[in-house]
Amino acid sequence: MASLKLKKRDNGAEPDKKKLVIAGIRHQLLLLLRRRHRLFPLVSAVSGCILLILFSFSALSPPPLIHHNNQVAVEPNPDPTTTPFRVPENGGRSDRQLWSSRSSNFYYACSNATDTFQVTDKTRQTNRYLLIATSGGLNQQRTGIIDAVVAAYILNATLVVPKLDQKSYWKDTSNFEDIFDVDWFISHLSKDVKIIKELPKEEQSRISTSLQSMRVPRKCTPSCYLQRVLPILNKKHVVQLSKFDYRLSNNLDTELQKLRCRVNYHAVRYTESINRMGQLLVDRMSKKAKYFVALHLRFEPDMLAFSGCYYGGGQKERLELGAMRRRWKTLHAANPEKVRRHGRCPLTPEEIGLMLRGLGFGKEVHLYVASGEVYGGEDTLAPLRALFPNLHTKETLTSKKELAPFANFSSRMAALDFIVCDKSDAFVTNNNGNMARILAGRRRYLGHKVTIRPNAKKLYELFKNRHNMTWDDFSSKVRRYQTGFMGEPDEMKPGEGEFHENPASCICRSSEARVVKEKAKHVNEDDSSEYSDIGNVPIASRSDLDHSQVDEEIF
């Protein structure tokens, strides 16, 4: 695809086109009256009218969202009441704080186990070993690692450090210890589950030719594990669960959900070298501006192919993405217009830029783009860069020498993006994939940091019709449509969505929050909900800690 840029629109030409159409129809009708006794002129006149009407619809309808060889029109502070749709350079009026979530100080992380949770000293079995083979990219594998610990607890088994997927699309040869701090992982969870780096030698020799491997169903419940896996584990002593991603139920009891949180937000942290480079990227972004936005663009060829969406690249795009889509044999033929209408297409870089400007982010904002290979390359990014010239990536913030130890490993590169997105002042997701969900949940857990999820279903119609409204109308609707998609507390009900995205069982409200909420609703009934906060520190009281102290705890 040569380009994915926007075409400028000459709105001032519309009245002339309308007059041309009217004059053409009038002329054909006069000819028809003069020659009404002849059949051929009649056919000719009617055909001419139809052609002129079709031409008028084509000329007057809004252009497709993506065109080639032009850029988005950005004007310095236009008057929104007198000009057609023109994007201002500044953010304009905003109805919310851009860099913080309302009432976030009233919520804090609380994932410690209660006294009713059975620790390993009381339940440990020494003759059961659970092997886990994860599946997919880095963050999909992360979900498998988290659930592997919970599965081992349910089965009362010793967990062997999970194996990472080295055969997926990304072909990353990294092992667990190349990406994650394996010693910390084992020690931090020692009271929950016994974890070892490898099977004892006697077990290795015994299963060398007869390893029992099986796959549990998606969303398998605790009783499902006890019925399907435990009998085999008791008989064979060693069982491997393969393709282990989302193989544990989303809805578990509170204690098991809290264990999930302890694994995800505390035990799984990156190696020292990855953390150091990630923090270097964060520091360099922070030096450029007091606040910065991180965007998980997710506009790589594989993502677009999987989505089944169409972005205006003609036959070349259809052939390229169609061939890639055939890698997933279970995917049916997609209806691009239907998929986009239902809000299941990643927004284009230009759409993301328009949404951010509509929310109030001005041209001066520094934007970190977390992405792999963008489909269409620099041409695709050009409209976003026109809106936000201060656009950065890990490649622009570092030298080739600095990035060399990570450059040939997709998972390690993804880990660097993860760190920057996690530390950003505002994070923007462009899909509902694994990284987006995990980061959204993590940012909720760590204080409801601003996390913007595009309301793609509503925004689709707005983008399509934007040339029929002023900028003021457009930005007002963007802000209205994005209500409930900005990372605020209580946007999602407990149990709604994937647990990794909405870890409600691990987020507690302070008593002050209850008072405020009750006053706002004029409710006098007592809230008797009790949360275990043993050893947990409310986010609000951690404001005096510097970033390095917090990082040591969470990575």
Side-chain angles (χ1 to χ4, degrees), residues 34-35 106 133 141 153 157 170 180 288 307 374 382 432 436 452 500:
R34 291 173 185 172
R35 304 174 184 178
F106 296 144
Q141 292 182 85
Y153 180 87
W170 296 271
F180 303 109
K288 294 180 181 296
S307 70
V374 175
N432 199 31
I452 303 171
H500 301 300

Side-chain angles (χ1 to χ4, degrees), residues 206-480:
R206 192 171 61 81
I207 66 166
S208 58
T209 57
S210 60
L211 175 61
Q212 179 70 45
S213 183
M214 61 182 297
R215 189 183 303 180
V216 295
R218 290 280 179 125
K219 309 297 184 183
C220 196
T221 62
S223 60
C224 165
Y225 276 89
L226 295 176
Q227 292 170 9
R228 291 173 177 263
V229 183
L230 186 58
I232 300 174
L233 190 59
N234 283 331
K235 181 179 180 180
K236 299 287 187 178
H237 301 293
V238 180
V239 171
Q240 175 175 277
L241 302 182
S242 61
K243 284 283 183 181
F244 199 79
D245 59 335
Y246 296 101
R247 303 288 167 176
L248 183 61
S249 173
N250 190 54
N251 299 311
L252 303 174
D253 67 55
T254 300
E255 289 296 342
L256 292 180
Q257 298 289 50
K258 285 178 179 288
L259 176 55
R260 263 179 167 160
C261 292
R262 291 198 293 279
V263 181
N264 192 5
Y265 306 126
H266 299 280
V268 177
R269 69 180 187 184
Y270 296 118
T271 62
E272 183 180 351
S273 61
I274 291 175
N275 261 331
R276 192 185 307 115
M277 177 55 69
Q279 188 59 50
L280 178 65
L281 292 169
V282 173
D283 292 343
R284 289 179 180 176
M285 284 299 298
S286 299
K287 287 179 181 178
K288 294 180 181 296
K290 183 178 180 180
Y291 303 108
F292 73 91
V293 177
L295 163 63
H296 186 214
L297 185 57
R298 206 62 179 98
F299 212 72
E300 297 91 345
D302 66 299
M303 179 63 187
L304 302 189
F306 184 84
S307 70
C309 303
Y310 174 67
Y311 290 95
Q315 188 66 7
K316 183 175 184 291
E317 178 186 330
R318 291 189 179 95
L319 290 174
E320 288 177 347
L321 299 185
M324 190 173 294
R325 185 176 173 81
R326 285 193 288 273
R327 289 195 301 108
W328 294 282
K329 296 179 181 179
T330 57
L331 291 181
H332 54 75
N335 181 333
E337 176 61 24
K338 182 179 179 181
V339 175
R340 177 174 282 275
R341 191 169 61 248
H342 289 176
R344 295 199 293 267
C345 288
L347 271 60
T348 67
E350 184 254 351
E351 289 173 329
I352 288 286
L354 289 175
M355 179 193 70
L356 289 176
R357 184 71 93 250
L359 288 172
F361 292 93
K363 184 178 181 179
E364 75 286 350
V365 167
H366 284 258
L367 184 65
Y368 179 90
V369 177
S371 177
E373 174 196 358
V374 175
Y375 187 62
E378 186 56 37
D379 287 338
T380 302
L381 287 173
L384 178 62
R385 196 183 295 277
L387 289 163
F388 294 95
N390 300 312
L391 190 150
H392 313 277
T393 65
K394 52 187 174 294
E395 288 81 7
T396 64
L397 291 171
T398 60
S399 66
K400 287 186 177 181
K401 183 178 180 181
E402 288 175 316
L403 210 55
F406 314 92
N408 294 325
F409 302 94
S410 61
S411 290
R412 299 179 208 186
M413 294 286 272
L416 297 179
D417 279 340
F418 186 98
I419 292 172
V420 181
C421 290
D422 182 46
K423 299 292 188 68
S424 65
D425 300 286
F427 171 58
V428 185
T429 72
N430 192 24
N431 69 100
N432 199 31
N434 295 295
M435 180 171 167
R437 285 197 294 266
I438 290 177
L439 274 168
R442 182 180 179 84
R443 291 171 70 87
R444 283 191 175 94
Y445 182 81
L446 296 175
H448 288 92
K449 296 189 287 185
V450 175
T451 303
I452 303 171
R453 296 177 297 130
N455 185 354
K457 188 173 183 179
K458 287 286 187 68
L459 291 176
Y460 161 70
E461 291 293 338
L462 186 59
F463 289 136
K464 189 172 69 171
N465 299 314
R466 70 189 186 280
H467 289 290
N468 297 324
M469 64 185 76
T470 65
W471 173 258
D472 245 11
D473 292 335
F474 176 85
S475 59
S476 176
K477 288 182 178 180
V478 167
R479 294 192 297 274
R480 186 165 75 249

Side-chain angles (χ1 to χ4, degrees), residues 46-66:
V46 173
S47 300
C49 290
I50 293 172
L51 287 173
L52 282 169
I53 292 170
L54 290 175
F55 171 78
S56 69
F57 286 152
S58 175
L60 297 176
S61 61
L65 187 63
I66 297 175

